[in-house]
């Protein structure tokens, strides 16, 4: 299994001090988080993509390219690449370029995002959201897999004898996860192509995401990519740890209560009971994370959100130290009883090897 962290890049006041970091401080903090993730032995760092305050990561490839130059092993990914409002030609070229710079340590989570006003900012209509996701991704796949593309669709100008440059590294496109919190069409899309499905199940009860993941697994098998239990599933989650669980709850409570996403809503206790949010000791995080397999089956990628709601960088880096301690335990426990035919998460190396086997 792959373990890592993702960030949404929010610029949020620290409710305990009232101080708001500058955009520069927040951007550089995200870089420090990625470097720390590699240092403590995590596999993946993923950044969101947003084009509105209070978020700063409007250019994921710029950030990930910088991180690539300062890391050696870390897989660089996105918590969302906006397939609906980005031009698929630009996505194809930007991420192929990043792939070369990072020696293949790149994949993407495609999504529609959760900010409605972004659509008109990029000349799109939110009512076309699902249709844009389907059409744009179909074009993106062709741009990565065909040297010369002729194409015509509804939502952008036609292409005639077009070649995206650079070509994917080793002619192997980055692996794609399709992220969704609510849309069955996206689970269907992931299954149709044999891609991964990432359920960022932070906000809602597990039963909601069980339905989406079950649909994805069933349709993955329907389209002939393997058995349902062999489908590629990724999960989100959020944790806050201290050695003593009471200390974790006391320290995190003001951040939870004032968080832009779920603050001023359910209590911390209700939220941790009903969603994957885990606030407590490292052992409590281990125990709750291990229940995810009971709910969703054997899966390939687990990403944790550790840095939002105004948490200071020092605290976030302490969280990463604790993650570095518990991830080896999670790896061992998740490996127990894992069927031998459940594949690992695809990497550039494994996809390249599969291509060579097919040619041979």
């Amino acid at each position: 299994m792959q373990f890592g962290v993702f960030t949404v890049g929010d610029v949020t006041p620290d409710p305990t001090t009232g101080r708001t970091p500058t955009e520069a401080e927040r951007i550089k903090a995200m870089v420090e988080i990625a470097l720390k993730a590699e240092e403590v032995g995590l596999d993946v760092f993923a950044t969101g993509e947003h084009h509105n305050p209070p978020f700063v990561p409007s250019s994921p490839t710029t950030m990930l390219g910088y991180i690539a130059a300062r890391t050696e092993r870390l897989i660089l990914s996105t918590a969302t690449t906006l397939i609906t409002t980005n031009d698929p030609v630009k996505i194809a070229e930007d991420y192929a370029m990043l792939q070369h710079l990072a020696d293949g340590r790149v994949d993407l989570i495609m999504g529609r995002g959760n900010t409605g006003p972004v659509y008109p900012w990029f000349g799109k209509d939110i009512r076309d959201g699902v249709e844009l996701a389907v059409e744009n991704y179909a074009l993106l796949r062709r741009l990565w897999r065909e040297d010369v593309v002729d194409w015509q669709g509804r939502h952008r100008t036609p292409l005639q004898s077009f070649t995206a440059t650079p070509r994917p590294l080793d002619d192997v496109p980055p692996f794609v996860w399709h992220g969704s919190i609510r849309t069955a069409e996206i689970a269907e899309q992931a299954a149709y192509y044999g891609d991964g499905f990432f359920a960022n199940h932070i906000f809602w009860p597990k039963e909601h995401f069980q339905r989406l993941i079950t649909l994805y697994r069933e349709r993955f098998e329907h389209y002939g990519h393997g058995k349902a239990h062999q489908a590629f599933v990724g999960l989100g989650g959020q944790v806050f740890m201290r050695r003593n669980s009471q200390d974790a709850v006391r320290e995190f409570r003001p951040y939870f209560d004032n968080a832009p996403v779920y603050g001023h809503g359910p209590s911390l206790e209700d939220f941790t009971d009903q969603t994957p949010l885990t606030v407590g000791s490292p052992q409590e995080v281990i125990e709750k994370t291990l229940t995810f397999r009971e709910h969703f089956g054997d899966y390939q990628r687990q990403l944790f959100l550790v840095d939002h709601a105004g948490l200071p960088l020092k605290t976030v880096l302490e969280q990463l130290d604790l993650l570095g301690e518990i991830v080896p335990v999670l790896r061992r426990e998740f490996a127990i009883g894992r069927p031998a035919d459940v594949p690992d998460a695809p990497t550039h190396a494994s996809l390249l090897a599969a291509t060579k086997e097919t040619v041979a």
Side-chain angles (χ1 to χ4, degrees), residues 223-277:
Y223 288 117
H225 301 298
K227 297 297 185 181
H229 71 278
Q230 296 174 314
F232 301 104
V233 173
L235 299 177
Q238 185 181 358
V239 297
F240 186 87
M241 291 177 281
R242 289 302 185 201
R243 298 293 180 189
N244 181 288
S245 60
Q246 289 80 9
D247 291 338
V249 171
R250 183 178 61 254
E251 185 175 346
F252 188 65
R253 189 181 299 279
Y255 295 97
F256 175 88
D257 288 346
N258 294 279
V261 176
Y262 45 54
H264 312 289
S267 69
L268 175 58
E269 287 74 16
D270 285 345
F271 208 82
T272 54
D273 181 58
Q274 297 172 20
T275 78
L277 172 65

Side-chain angles (χ1 to χ4, degrees), residues 3-62:
F3 291 90
V5 292
F6 71 98
T7 179
V8 295
D10 60 309
V11 180
T12 302
D14 184 331
T16 67
T17 66
R19 185 181 184 279
T20 303
T22 66
E23 290 182 328
E25 288 171 334
R26 187 68 173 100
I27 290 168
K28 291 181 179 180
M30 292 163 67
V31 173
E32 289 302 313
I33 290 165
L35 301 182
K36 185 71 170 180
E38 176 162 280
E39 177 189 320
V40 301
L42 301 184
D43 304 303
V44 183
F45 171 81
T47 175
E49 178 186 345
H50 295 275
H51 299 276
N52 57 294
F55 305 98
V56 291
S58 59
S59 180
T61 53
T62 303

Side-chain angles (χ1 to χ4, degrees), residues 35-98:
L35 301 182
K36 185 71 170 180
E38 176 162 280
E39 177 189 320
V40 301
L42 301 184
D43 304 303
V44 183
F45 171 81
T47 175
E49 178 186 345
H50 295 275
H51 299 276
N52 57 294
F55 305 98
V56 291
S58 59
S59 180
T61 53
T62 303
M63 171 171 284
L64 295 178
Y66 181 72
I67 294 170
R70 301 185 61 185
T71 55
E72 297 180 354
R73 185 185 53 80
L74 198 65
I75 295 171
L76 307 173
S77 190
T78 55
T80 301
T81 295
L82 297 176
I83 188 63
T84 45
T85 50
N86 282 311
D87 183 353
V89 172
K90 193 72 169 100
I91 295 177
E93 296 189 333
D94 281 354
Y95 285 91
M97 176 71 78
L98 177 61

